[in-house]
Amino acid sequence: MYLGMSQPGAATRELAFAAADRMRAKSLRAVQPANPAVESRDQIRDQILAERGIDRITLLKLAPQARIETEISITIETARRTPPAPIRATGNFVDLRI
């Protein structure tokens, strides 16, 4: 009779499930996007940070004014490099002639 919260062998089952989850996560990460030519805003932002020699931790350690100025310049550069979203115009034609 076991009065505790766990039974013998429970830890090994948890480790087995964790290992299966890790294997499943690795296989999910291996899948490439359908169109690798299109980068997301986050990827472009990370690329700009790398070009400037700044990582996210360094950015957080900056003084408040310097961090704001850096974030503004990074946001502007990201907006410049991001391709414009395609315009999807949908609507109805309404004839208003009297």
Side-chain angles (χ1 to χ4, degrees):
M1 180 175 194
Y2 299 107
L3 299 175
M5 293 293 288
S6 64
Q7 300 174 2
T12 56
R13 280 186 279 161
E14 291 171 2
L15 292 174
F17 287 130
D21 288 341
R22 280 194 302 274
M23 288 182 358
R24 191 176 315 123
K26 286 180 185 176
S27 66
L28 290 176
R29 282 188 220 127
V31 176
Q32 296 297 323
N35 189 359
V38 178
E39 293 181 330
S40 68
R41 288 184 68 89
D42 290 333
Q43 290 172 335
I44 294 171
R45 185 178 192 279
D46 290 339
Q47 184 181 13
I48 293 169
L49 285 171
E51 288 172 1
R52 295 183 181 194
I54 302 171
D55 60 348
R56 294 178 189 252
I57 295 172
T58 307
L59 189 62
L60 290 174
K61 291 181 180 179
L62 290 175
Q65 185 66 32
R67 187 179 333 143
I68 290 171
E69 292 171 356
T70 306
E71 285 286 351
I72 290 171
S73 66
I74 290 170
T75 303
I76 291 170
E77 186 65 27
T78 303
R80 284 185 189 148
R81 293 187 189 185
T82 304
I87 297 173
R88 298 180 66 193
T90 58
N92 296 325
F93 178 74
V94 179
D95 190 6
L96 296 176
R97 286 183 278 166
I98 298 177

